[in-house]
C-alpha cells in the first residue's frame, strides 16, 4: 500500500502503487477539433481557460493520433483499443437508420472497467450505432448510464437549432428527410427534437450528478464525455452565445470548455480531484470546408477526411494532480492507448483480442520511453486493396497514397481539396515530422532509402496482422430504424416529436 504523501513524490511513483487505490477516469472528447484550436495549443482567439488550466497543470501531448479522419471509426478505436478495420466500423460513418453498429462482442473501456467494480456513464455523442430496438446503444456496451444523442447533431433537419442571436438559423444545411435529432436517456428517447440551446447544460449537470452519486456510494467511476462541440453546425447556450471573439465556432468551443470547468469543480467539491485521471482529446481534424466556421489544424497539413497530419493528429491533455507531472511530451501516442492504460491503472485484465493500443503509463508518469513506435493512417474509406495510406515510424511519416477530401475543401492548399484525387507514391513520400511538421518537404536522395525500407517492412508486418471485420456500415440503412419517440406514429418522420422531458432524467444507475 502507498500513502498519498509518498505517491505525490514523482520519482517514487510506480504503477503498483497507484493500483492500491484505483483512480476514477474522466474521458473528455471533442468533435472535429483541430490541432490548432485550443488556447494552450496556440490559437490566438479561442477562449479555453479550463482546458488551458488542465494543460498547464497536466501533461500536454504534441504527437497524439487518432485512427481515422472521420467520426465513427475514430470513436470505435478509442473505446476498443483496436483499429476500426478490425471491428468493422468502416467505411465512412454510421447514420440514424444504420442497421449495423459497434459489434457487441467488442470490449469497450467501460466493460473493462466494470469488471473492476467501476460505475460508468456516457454523456453526449455516441455515433457507434443504434440499430433495431437500440441493439447498439452505449447501454449495451458497458455504460450504466447514458444521456445524449447517439450520432452527429447534423444528421437530422437542424430543427430547433437556433444560433446566436436567438432565432437566427444556423449557417448551412443539415440532413433532410430523416427524423429530427433525439436525446436519449438510457434506452428511451427523452426529447425529440433536441433543444440544443439547453443541451450542453443538461449534459454537464448530468455528469456532475453522476460524479456525486458515485462518490456518495464510494464507487470508482468512469465518465465518458464526448461533446457535440465543435462539430458543425455550431451552437451555444445563452451563457456562451456571442461571448467568444472567435465567432460561432469559438462560442461552441467555449461552451464545451465551460463544461470541463464544471466537471473540474464537481470533482473538487466531491473531494476526488486528486484521485481522478482526466484525459482530453478529439475525434478527428477540423472541418475546413466550413471556412472560418470550421476548426483549425494549426501548422499541420489539411484536416478532416485526409490522412495528412491535420486530419488525424489531435490536441491531447492528461491531468491528475500529484500523479502526472506538469509538462509537454513529444512521445508518440494514440487514442488506441487509452484502453490499455486505464486497464493498467485500474488493475483490470486486457480483453483477449488483437489489441492495437499500448499501455502509456510510461509516458504519463515519466517512467521511460513510449511503447508506441508506429502509427498507421487509414483513410475514410479503408479497403484491403489499398491498406493503410500512410505510416508514422518514430519521427518519420511515409505516404503511400494521398487524397483530398470535401471536408478539407476551401484552403489554398490544393492537396486538401476533393479535386486532389487518389495518388499512389512509389517510393512513398517521406517527411521528417520533427523538422517539417507541415509535411512540405519530401526527403529525397538515396540516403533515405533505408528509412523507406524500414517503414515498408513495418507496414507489411502490420497489414499481415489485420483481418478486416465484416463492415457494419455496409450493412446499409433502413429508415424504419431511425429513432422515434412515438414508434408507431405516422406520418414519419414528422410525428416523431416529443417535448416533455421525463422527470426521471435525473436518476443515476449505479449497478
Ligand atoms: C465478433 O463476432 C464476429 C462474428 O462471429 C467475429 O467475426 C469477430 O471476430 C468477433 N470479434 C471479436 C472481437 O471477438
Ligand atoms: C423490437 O422488440 C419488440 C418487442 O420485443 C419486437 O416485437 C420487435 O420485433 C423488435 N423489433 C426489431 C426491429 O427487432
Ligand atoms: C488535492 O491535493 C492538493 C495538493 O496536495 C491539496 O492542496 C488539495 O486540498 C487536495 N484536494 C482535495 C479535494 O483533496
Ligand atoms: C520523393 O523522394 C524520393 C526519393 O528521392 C523520390 O524518388 C520521389 O520521386 C520523390 N517524390 C516526389 C513526389 O517528389
Amino acid at each position: 500500500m502507498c500513502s498519498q504523501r509518498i505517491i505525490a513524490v514523482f520519482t517514487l511513483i510506480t504503477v503498483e502503487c497507484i493500483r492500491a487505490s484505483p483512480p476514477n477516469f474522466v474521458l473528455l472528447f471533442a468533435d472535429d477539433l483541430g490541432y490548432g484550436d485550443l488556447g494552450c495549443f496556440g490559437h490566438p482567439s479561442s477562449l479555453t481557460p479550463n482546458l488551458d488550466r488542465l494543460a498547464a497543470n497536466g501533461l500536454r501531448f504534441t504527437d497524439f493520433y487518432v485512427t481515422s479522419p472521420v467520426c465513427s471509426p475514430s470513436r470505435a478505436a478509442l473505446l476498443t483499443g483496436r483499429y476500426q478495420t478490425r471491428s468493422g466500423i468502416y467505411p465512412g460513418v454510421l447514420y440514424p437508420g444504420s442497421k449495423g453498429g459497434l459489434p457487441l462482442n467488442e470490449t469497450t473501456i467501460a466493460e473493462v472497467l466494470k469488471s473492476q467494480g467501476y460505475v460508468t456513464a456516457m454523456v453526449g455523442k455516441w455515433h457507434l450505432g443504434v440499430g433495431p430496438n437500440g441493439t447498439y446503444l452505449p447501454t449495451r456496451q458497458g455504460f450504466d448510464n447514458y444521456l445524449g444523442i447517439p450520432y452527429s447533431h447534423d444528421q437530422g433537419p437542424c430543427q430547433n437549432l437556433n444560433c446566436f442571436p436567438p432565432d437566427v438559423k444556423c449557417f448551412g444545411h443539415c440532413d433532410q428527410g430523416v427524423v429530427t435529432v433525439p436525446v436519449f436517456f438510457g434506452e428511451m428517447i427523452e426529447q425529440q427534437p433536441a433543444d440544443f440551446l439547453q443541451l450542453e447544460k443538461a449534459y454537464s449537470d448530468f455528469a456532475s450528478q453522476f460524479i456525486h452519486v458515485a462518490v456518495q456510494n464510494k464507487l470508482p467511476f468512469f465518465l465518458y464525455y464526448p461533446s457535440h462541440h465543435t462539430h458543425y453546425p455550431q451552437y451555444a447556450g445563452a451563457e456562451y452565445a456571442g461571448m467568444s471573439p472567435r465567432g460561432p465556432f469559438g462560442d461552441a468551443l467555449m461552451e464545451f470548455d465551460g463544461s470541463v470547468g464544471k466537471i473540474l469543480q464537481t470533482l473538487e467539491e466531491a473531494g476526488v480531484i486528486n484521485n481522478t485521471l482526466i484525459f482530453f482529446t478529439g475525434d478527428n481534424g477540423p472541418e475546413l470546408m466550413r471556412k472560418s466556421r470550421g476548426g483549425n489544424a494549426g501548422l499541420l497539413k489539411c484536416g478532416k477526411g485526409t490522412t495528412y497530419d491535420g486530419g488525424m493528429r489531435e490536441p491531447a491533455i492528461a491531468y491528475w494532480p500529484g500523479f502526472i507531472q506538469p509538462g509537454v511530451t513529444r512521445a508518440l501516442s494514440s487514442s488506441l492507448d487509452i484502453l490499455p492504460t486505464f486497464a493498467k491503472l485500474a488493475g483490470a485484465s486486457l480483453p483477449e483480442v488483437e489489441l492495437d493500443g499500448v499501455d502509456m503509463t510510461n509516458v504519463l508518469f515519466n517512467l521511460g520511453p513510449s511503447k508506441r513506435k508506429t502509427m498507421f493512417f487509414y483513410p475514410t474509406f479503408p479497403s484491403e486493396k489499398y491498406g493503410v495510406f500512410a505510416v508514422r515510424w518514430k519521427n518519420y511519416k511515409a505516404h503511400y497514397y494521398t487524397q483530398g477530401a470535401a471536408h478539407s475543401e476551401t484552403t489554398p492548399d490544393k492537396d486538401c481539396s476533393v479535386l486532389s484525387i487518389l495518388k499512389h507514391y512509389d517510393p512513398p513520400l517521406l517527411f521528417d515530422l520533427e523538422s517539417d511538421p507541415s509535411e512540405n518537404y519530401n526527403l529525397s536522395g538515396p540516403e533515405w532509402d533505408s528509412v523507406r525500407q524500414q517503414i515498408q517492412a513495418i507496414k507489411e508486418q502490420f497489414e499481415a496482422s489485420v483481418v478486416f471485420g465484416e463492415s457494419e456500415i455496409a450493412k446499409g440503412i433502413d429508415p424504419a430504424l431511425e429513432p422515434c419517440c412515438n414508434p408507431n406514429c405516422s406520418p414519419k418522420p414528422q410525428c416523431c416529436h416529443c417535448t416533455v422531458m421525463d422527470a426521471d432524467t435525473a436518476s443515476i444507475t449505479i449497478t
Side-chain angles (χ1 to χ4, degrees):
M1 289 290 282
C2 312
S3 77
Q4 184 78 15
R5 211 153 47 83
I6 294 171
I7 294 169
V9 179
F10 295 116
T11 50
L12 291 185
I13 223 168
T14 66
V15 169
E16 283 63 37
C17 187
I18 287 162
R19 251 193 229 160
S21 161
N24 309 304
F25 299 101
V26 174
L27 179 55
L28 305 166
F29 208 57
D31 198 354
D32 287 4
L33 186 79
Y35 189 76
D37 275 321
L38 301 185
C40 52
F41 276 76
H43 198 283
S45 53
S46 285
L47 296 183
T48 51
N50 294 298
L51 288 164
D52 296 354
R53 176 151 65 102
L54 291 186
N57 300 305
L59 188 62
R60 189 167 68 82
F61 290 73
T62 62
D63 290 53
F64 190 92
Y65 288 92
V66 293
T67 65
S68 173
V70 292
C71 185
S72 300
S74 174
R75 285 158 203 259
L78 170 78
L79 291 181
T80 62
R82 285 151 58 79
Y83 283 103
Q84 58 274 13
T85 41
R86 299 190 199 274
S87 57
I89 303 301
Y90 71 90
V93 301
L94 290 156
Y95 288 86
S98 282
K99 294 179 190 166
L102 183 66
L104 299 180
N105 63 356
E106 290 289 333
T107 307
T108 67
I109 300 174
E111 288 167 323
V112 167
L113 294 176
K114 269 187 82 64
S115 74
Q116 294 300 101
Y118 279 69
V119 59
T120 57
M122 168 176 168
V123 182
K125 171 173 169 179
W126 175 239
H127 217 175
L128 290 172
V130 178
N133 283 338
T135 307
Y136 298 110
L137 285 172
T139 43
R140 311 287 179 97
Q141 288 282 19
F143 291 98
D144 302 320
N145 298 278
Y146 176 49
L147 179 69
I149 297 171
Y151 38 83
S152 290
H153 69 279
D154 68 331
Q155 293 183 313
C158 276
Q159 278 173 30
N160 200 15
L161 182 51
N162 293 328
C163 293
F164 183 82
D167 304 323
V168 171
K169 256 287 178 242
C170 288
F171 173 87
H173 304 279
C174 296
D175 294 354
Q176 303 298 322
V178 292
V179 292
T180 54
V181 173
V183 181
F184 276 74
F185 173 60
E187 299 188 356
M188 301 295 289
I189 296 174
E190 285 293 307
Q191 190 185 55
Q192 193 170 21
D195 179 353
F196 289 100
L197 302 188
Q198 306 293 331
L199 190 61
E200 191 71 21
K201 186 178 181 311
Y203 283 176
S204 58
D205 287 351
F206 187 75
S208 291
Q209 207 181 345
F210 167 70
I211 292 168
H212 280 302
V213 171
V215 172
Q216 277 155 19
N217 287 277
K218 299 191 166 51
L219 291 168
F221 62 85
F222 169 47
L223 170 64
Y224 173 44
Y225 194 115
S227 180
H228 301 280
H229 293 320
T230 50
H231 194 288
Y232 156 89
Q234 288 80 20
Y235 60 88
E239 206 182 326
Y240 295 97
M243 298 305 282
S244 152
R246 199 183 159 183
F249 185 98
D251 293 353
L253 178 55
M254 205 178 160
E255 185 171 58
F256 175 57
D257 183 80
S259 297
V260 175
K262 282 177 204 159
I263 290 171
L264 278 170
Q265 191 189 336
T266 303
L267 294 171
E268 276 160 18
E269 284 166 6
V272 291
I273 188 77
N274 293 338
N275 192 32
T276 302
L277 168 56
I278 304 177
F279 201 95
F280 164 83
T281 190
D283 67 339
N284 51 249
E287 197 172 43
L288 303 175
M289 72 182 283
R290 307 295 172 188
K291 302 183 182 172
S292 63
R293 298 276 302 237
N296 197 302
L299 48 46
L300 303 181
K301 188 175 172 79
C302 304
K304 182 172 178 179
T306 76
T307 48
Y308 293 107
D309 263 26
M312 295 172 63
R313 187 161 160 184
E314 282 293 303
I317 303 166
Y319 174 89
W320 187 5
F323 288 78
I324 293 176
Q325 203 163 2
V328 178
T329 179
R330 288 190 293 114
L332 187 58
S333 317
S334 168
S335 53
L336 290 165
D337 305 337
I338 291 174
L339 180 145
T341 303
F342 286 10
K344 175 90 171 197
L345 293 173
S349 46
L350 293 174
E352 283 168 17
V353 292
E354 183 90 43
L355 210 59
D356 297 300
V358 297
D359 161 25
M360 62 171 166
T361 47
N362 270 0
V363 177
L364 292 183
F365 307 119
N366 205 9
L367 296 173
S370 172
K371 292 183 182 164
R372 175 168 294 285
K373 302 285 180 259
T374 55
M375 194 67 212
F376 300 98
F377 296 71
Y378 278 114
T380 305
F381 301 96
S383 65
E384 287 180 281
K385 180 178 171 201
Y386 294 111
V388 296
F389 271 28
V391 178
R392 175 153 176 185
W393 173 63
K394 298 184 176 171
N395 51 315
Y396 299 105
K397 183 172 172 188
H399 289 269
Y400 291 83
Y401 295 93
T402 62
Q403 191 171 13
H407 289 299
S408 278
E409 200 58 68
T410 75
T411 73
D413 183 343
K414 289 193 303 293
D415 295 338
C416 311
S417 159
V418 70
L419 299 176
S420 182
I421 56 165
L422 182 69
K423 283 198 214 60
H424 178 54
Y425 302 91
D426 184 15
L429 289 176
L430 184 66
F431 300 108
D432 176 346
L433 295 181
E434 284 183 351
S435 58
D436 176 24
S438 305
E439 301 172 89
N440 283 327
Y441 310 108
N442 181 33
L443 295 171
S444 57
E447 66 271 35
W448 299 105
D449 288 356
S450 66
V451 173
R452 283 187 171 84
Q453 281 157 13
Q454 178 87 38
I455 292 179
Q456 178 66 29
I458 289 167
K459 177 175 181 281
E460 283 169 15
Q461 193 187 11
F462 171 72
E463 290 189 322
S465 86
V466 179
V467 178
F468 273 50
E470 187 192 352
S471 167
E472 291 291 322
I473 295 173
K475 289 180 176 169
I477 292 170
D478 174 1
L481 295 179
E482 290 170 10
C484 179
C485 58
N486 288 319
N488 301 316
C489 73
S490 85
K492 281 184 178 172
Q494 299 85 320
C495 63
C496 300
H497 196 286
C498 310
T499 51
V500 183
M501 276 285 230
D502 193 312
D504 280 354
T505 303
S507 65
I508 307 279
T509 304
I510 57 162
T511 52

